[in-house]
């Protein structure tokens, strides 16, 4: 129930079409989100622009298919992350329009072309971080961001990073993906004026502790302007980057 | 040495004013940042808009005074965070223009008025988080952001948060400050389309582990759009928020 | 040996039917619980109302069958938790009356109908927490509690929780099941006057640390009235809830 | 705005006293909790029976006095926990009716006598746990529970516990307070049919890790019926115990 | 109530001196340990040989004095560990017979000379471990063990250990006290046929983690025959060593 | 080179059979253990009584067979722990005399009958701890100790422990095996005068942390007389117990 | 672009062959490492002596083959570590010159004979550490170091270590490989004047925590001269050792 | 007893001055290091070049004075680390020749001038790491190394590091000191062919965990050639660096 519905109800009460008793009952029985939470509805309205997402890890193929079909039938685009190739093989026949991206462990159903605005740079240190990078890259595109990839520019050979710098610093948001020592995020942030979102990866062994060491490094970054998401959470970084891009390109200026 | 300097040097070589040998020597002897790293210089140029910052914790009063004077003499505004009232008492006579903010443990020397653009909402759960909130708020203002405060709207009484929601969701960036369980960040992110920067605080006891529990909660947030900074790092969140605001209000549109 | 048995023994000694020497020997040789620990016996008497439970994880099929048969032969109802479908397949032929609940990983042999009193609400944030929820739900029913399920009402979309609130708050005890950030328990507790028992689940990745993060969140809950059990311990929560319900509905009033 | 208010508004709209436009505006402008969230209001109504509580740790004396006066003026009883004797000395002149309990680090202002119903047993292992025990005991009384203390009955001398057992098991709820190894909670739960709330304490040294070891022990308890609160959280345990007692003694029977 | 008492009671019942009703009441009202728990009594009898011990840390001087006086009046010897020199200064006037050992942070009141049997070797790596060593040494003597000290024979200079080996290996039990890396316990155990009790100490910095690293080293010892106690728990090691010595020198041979 | 060899060398030098220069060279070139480290040799002599042990985990079948044959050929008895049934199947044909104990994951080759002296009680809380218990029990027997088993007497039903107490306390050493909360060790130690060696097991889930929680509980034991070994290290506990038994039954009395 | 190139460019500008505008553009467009970063190039020059290395863990066979071929075609020697026998089986047909070392999980393609200088001692405590030892040994040889192996000389039998000491101490660098308690590194360092590089291994169980306990031991080493690498990082230790050997044998003396 | 003493003994035996029996007794009674452990003595001989060191933390002034005087009287130079200015004030009158270095918390007594050979670069990221840097620098000089300091060249402004690179890479060994994120070590190692010893510092807050985060970063370094010492262990790094320098400059070439 939005403001218009509310107004209609009042109109009917005023016009005698609906009794007071009946109006109160309608108010009481309506599901919560229809009770006039314009703010929440409006917020959902804003979010609707981002297509729906399924996190496949730990879900059975038929569960994924069922959720996916619901989203597809609503006409929305669909992104499904953390989907292994084994999972997708079972799913594929039921979702013929789904396009699987092997190097990102995700599939996409694009029913409406996505309008691209803004630019997100994906910067990573090692080739092993590629699946997380690609999850971030494809998720950002899915949310309407342009994406440029700068892979394998880790701190162990800092000159590679520096030689791409002119390009990287043009991005609206920079997503830095790094495992092992995770030092890349701080180095990048020290060189740029763009917000940096850091994604620690579970790549490493011994005291990398499945990405925890890289996470700590990123949170401790001496350089300002670094914020961090959960280990391997490429999608999460892309989603936050997309929220920022949307603010940049859709804003109604207030100044 | 920027492009213009480089051009001048080439002009002089072309004009015979400087010998080739001499030009090469000039190139070799120049400090690195003068060697033509336009990218880095340019980046510093961009960053220069943000006033300099001193992290006072663990520094002796005379060290702080020395660094502060250097910055002040350069004409820049100055922000000094994590400065206890004891520290400031010793510093104060030497820095007569410094304004101390008791509830944020920081002082500011504002030599040039800061132009305010954009709006950062500071949302916090408990009154004990106030020093971190105020560090974030005053730092954001120092970096040129408008700030609105929504304190004491924690999840233990979720209706307080909801009643302020219409206001909060207008912000360009939302900084959520929370200790103890740290659940507020995820709840806020679930209701908004603005990027959320979460600051865990060290408020709590027992298994709050000095803010580590709140940090984990925030990194594990089910709702997308949450990125996280180090425990109690109000300044860091504000700096990232300011980078985003700058992108929003200063961008040269690319679409 | 209860008080009556003791009295009988004394009677026989007084009546000369049993010699002093023989009585002392009887006292010494009796198993401990027969030595007059009426309190423990009585306590067992009280507990007897709850059917026996087998924790199957790590047990071999024949071990489970052997224990199960012992319980069944005693006439009691039987609950067996943490039983994988593989385990149950091996067990099933030997326990023809066992009913397996696939979504809760448990089986039940109900020889005597359970009388239902009171109401336990099971509230959960995500669909992945379902097995723990169902373990809690079926265990609570097994212990004689009415159960109502409120699944998928997590804090990432707080309005879903609020819209069910009128219903949830009628419960005698609320069990909140949540993984990832685990924030739901505190939010629920902030809205209710019923005791809340929180069950962290191992759902999540990265710094969810197998449920440890959710556990910490719940223990740090700002809202009073939350107590916590081990990760994934749906049965434990249900058992505690059932103890509370029993106190509510069976109490001999003392006021 | 409750149902009655809503009905009145509709009546006025129906009667033409309030225009539809005006009614809609009233709905929109009203603070959230007045928008008809009867559930939340009602819930607050239910909770009102419990007096207000201040957590003093980390608060300055004048902050405590200000909050305390607000509560006292509202006519409510007041409990202030984690108040050191140093803090209370500063506070005392401003709060002449406050009664300090030295062994529980809390003070109480009782303006209305508390009606006592039900019985909470406080069981503890060592004399060093006394402050947490007393915080639990006085908090439970403050919330209207009768309290019986069974201190120094730890597992290192299990016979002491057994000899008090007949008494302990009569309680409606048992709060077990233990540091070091924390084993007492499981032993007590194994002997009783009352719900057990376990409070780990920070008493210990070495690998007691400030109570973390005791917390783990309690969460791992083999005996069912144990739920756990944060380290040293005597008040939290008492509050949960009081919620249970209230359910027992105030319930409107549903069977 | 021991077997004799029980027999007497039965005799009186048999003789009619005590009615059955009265006998049952006597049984019920008697404190637990009088109910015939000969095993527990007997066990206490056995333990009585070891003098009583007070753990002073966290206790107030008057509490220590009160407990100490109770023990002294019972005629027993008294050991009070973890007593700082500040604490002892306050205590000293009230306990004129207490002898303080500055280097072990403990005091002793010896009312009955202790008979010494067996030999405990205290082996330690560094001079900083001395307080824990001396707590172990004096506690072992207090429990009736002969003690020989081998300090400063750490693995960083393994030849020092080897040169004392002929002596060390004569001990009945070896207590190894070590901080930092804690390697000494395994080295000693590899050279001996005596049981080794390892005490990690909190000496160290950085990743010694307050003794946790040494504890892990000792638990991971490749050499068999090492058992471990809590960090800095010199008394605990001595108590276990004394139990072993008692078994060796007091045993009634069964072979 | 033992004392006799040394004496012979001196004799030859004295008799002129060996020149001084030659004797010095002999001393210098001899391998270390032949240089007269009677203490080490003697220690090995003492240890020889305990048969050799192979830790099979992570070893390939042919490696195990090779080591085992070496030991068997030396005439010693052989114990091989942590040997899975899969491993033993591969090994079995090559070691026809090896007797596998399925419930302890170990095999034994007994070439010389072991003389049994003393008594070790193995006390455990849950049936799942059985493999660790049996490893301890069979290892203790292998080292010449008599063994009595008291399984399933955990603290969740403390009366079961108490009813076996009279028996348990007769042991020379008590090994307590417990997972989950690990509280049993402290309870047992509080009731006995025998040294208690505690073995935490990896049984449990959630915050049992693979036995770490039980380990902490045991190290924090309030009751004196508990020493601890690594998680699941049944053999280690047995070996230490055997060292103690040997001291008890083989000692040359010094008093 | 090196100094010569730069000089040439200046010459052309001076000679009018290249216009100033054109020269500036050339400077701007050149890749970073061509801009005259002699220091970085020189550094790469220095490092070129060490053959290239592939870390195979987590890489697919075709990825490994592709990278390997690139290196081989460049004429360099190739070391590929952490390559399982399964991986190598798939790789082998495509890399016919690769020699697999089963006990080190690595393969090598040696196209140019390596010149050996210096001596690295590999000292280890247990046979289970062998794969890490061999990774270190073969990597060190691959980098041009002579290698001597001293395996199975752990602290549990310290005399074995001592008897090899005369030999070990001749090495230029000593790599100590140890799991479990990790004490060996400190013992070795206490006996030598060579730098010791310690490699903790993941060998162990229970509180070895996958090598973390050994790592802590090594970092806490009382004996000076120990530095540490990541768990199981045999290659890393060898690489550092080779850097030291190169410094020793290739240095241009400065004194 | 060195080789000469041994020879003398044999001479006397050969000459009949000492009986065989007597010679054997002499051998048995001699302290271990006199038994002819030329290897150990020789090793000590080698180490003697490095002056003695006292770790003052936790030592009382008179203990420090006593140890220091012993060393001074032996004629050696003395280094005493971790000595607070308060400690030194008490010590100073008794050690008039001690020179305190305020910014390194250490004092030195130099009785013999140290000969300087080789060059150690100390590279650090932040000004707060200065005390650890200076401990490393002065310790390295004390051990005979030349030292060059490169402070405040952290990764947050990577160009500062690069501009000093030409200088840094000339060092024989590079010690990198860094707190917070600790990324500097890997960046430096990626640019050099010198061995890098990394010292994490306890500088930081929140999840820097007292230097643990920096330690993990350094151990996880992607760039080869980094070895690590304990947190804040500047002396340890310097000692290892000095061992390497000694190998470089004192070696008797083997090639």
């Amino acid at each position: 129930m939005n403001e218009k519905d509310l107004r209609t109800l009042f109109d009917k009460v005023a016009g005698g079409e609906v009794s007071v008793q009946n109006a109160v009952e309608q108010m009481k029985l309506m599901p919560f989100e229809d009770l006039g939470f314009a703010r929440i509805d409006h917020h959902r309205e804003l979010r609707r622009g981002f297509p729906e997402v399924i996190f496949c890890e730990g879900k059975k193929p038929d569960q994924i298919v069922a959720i996916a079909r619901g989203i597809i039938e609503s006409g929305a685009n669909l992104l499904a992350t953390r989907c292994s190739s084994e999972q997708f093989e079972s799913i594929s026949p039921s979702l013929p329009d789904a396009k699987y991206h092997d190097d990102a462990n995700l599939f996409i159903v694009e029913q409406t072309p996505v309008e691209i605005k803004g630019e997100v740079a994906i910067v990573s240190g090692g080739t092993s971080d590629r699946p997380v990078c690609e999850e971030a890259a494809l998720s950002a595109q899915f949310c309407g961001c342009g994406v440029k990839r700068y892979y394998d520019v880790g701190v162990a050979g800092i000159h590679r990073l520096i030689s791409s710098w002119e390009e990287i610093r043009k991005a609206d948001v920079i997503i830095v993906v790094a495992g092992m020592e995770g030092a890349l995020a701080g180095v990048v942030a020290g060189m740029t004026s763009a917000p940096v979102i850091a994604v620690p990866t579970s790549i490493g062994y011994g005291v990398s502790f499945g990405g925890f060491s890289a996470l700590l490094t990123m949170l401790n970054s001496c350089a300002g302007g670094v914020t961090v998401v959960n280990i391997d959470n490429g999608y999460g970084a892309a989603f936050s980057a997309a929220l920022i891009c949307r603010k940049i390109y859709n804003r109604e200026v207030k100044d």
Side-chain angles (χ1 to χ4, degrees), chain A residues 154-171:
Chain A
V155 296
I158 202 72
H159 58 286
R160 294 175 299 180
L161 175 62
I162 294 172
S163 73
S164 301
W165 194 241
E166 194 74 28
E167 280 298 307
I168 295 174
R169 71 176 191 76
K170 288 180 188 155

Side-chain angles (χ1 to χ4, degrees), chain A residues 7 13 17 21 44 47 78 102 136 145 151-152 174-175 196 199 208 216 231-232 243:
Chain A
R7 191 179 300 269
V13 170
E17 288 172 70
Q21 177 64 27
R44 290 175 64 87
R47 281 181 63 189
L78 166 70
D102 187 78
C145 303
Y151 293 177
D152 204 15
I174 302 174
I175 293 176
V196 171
V199 190
S208 72
L216 295 182
I231 296 163
D232 289 339
L243 289 180

Side-chain angles (χ1 to χ4, degrees), chain A residues 42-43 45-51 114-119 142-146 172 239 241-255:
Chain A
H42 187 55
H43 141 67
E45 191 72 33
L46 282 172
R47 281 181 63 189
R48 209 157 294 154
F50 289 132
V114 180
E115 189 194 4
I116 298 294
K117 280 190 181 173
E119 182 182 317
F142 186 71
C143 294
C145 303
D172 292 306
F239 187 78
L243 289 180
I244 295 172
C245 283
R246 168 162 300 194
K247 281 284 177 190
I248 297 175
Y249 292 94
N250 290 355
R251 72 184 175 94
E252 302 139 39
V253 182
K254 295 176 191 167
D255 45 352

Side-chain angles (χ1 to χ4, degrees), chain A residues 4-156:
Chain A
K4 200 181 118 206
D5 295 337
L6 190 62
R7 191 179 300 269
T8 308
L9 181 62
F10 276 121
D11 278 335
K12 289 188 178 159
V13 170
E17 288 172 70
V18 168
S19 74
V20 165
Q21 177 64 27
N22 186 288
V24 168
E25 289 309 310
Q26 273 190 48
M27 296 288 282
K28 272 171 76 180
L29 295 173
M30 267 187 276
F32 186 80
E33 58 178 307
D34 294 344
L35 252 175
F37 278 97
R39 67 205 99 188
I40 289 177
D41 272 339
H42 187 55
H43 141 67
R44 290 175 64 87
E45 191 72 33
L46 282 172
R47 281 181 63 189
R48 209 157 294 154
F50 289 132
E52 298 279 343
V53 177
I54 307 174
F55 183 83
C56 299
E57 199 171 292
K59 292 209 175 67
K60 299 176 187 167
D62 56 342
Q63 291 179 312
I64 299 172
V65 169
I67 305 176
R69 282 189 173 149
I71 293 169
I72 291 168
E73 275 158 28
S74 79
N77 289 342
L78 166 70
L79 169 65
T81 62
R82 304 279 176 111
C83 180
S84 68
S85 53
E86 289 75 23
Q87 281 178 307
F88 187 70
E89 241 170 82
S90 312
I91 289 167
S92 181
S94 315
L95 298 175
D97 296 333
K99 175 139 192 280
Y100 189 64
H101 294 263
D102 187 78
D103 49 357
N105 296 318
L106 57 78
F107 69 86
I108 287 173
V109 180
E110 188 174 304
Q111 309 196 93
T112 317
V114 180
E115 189 194 4
I116 298 294
K117 280 190 181 173
E119 182 182 317
V120 176
I122 316 280
V123 180
S124 86
T127 50
S128 315
D129 301 320
R130 191 180 167 83
V132 178
C133 291
E134 283 299 302
E135 182 184 301
L138 295 172
S139 298
Q141 284 176 340
F142 186 71
C143 294
C145 303
V147 167
K148 292 216 174 153
R149 293 163 172 84
Y150 305 88
Y151 293 177
D152 204 15
V153 294
V155 296

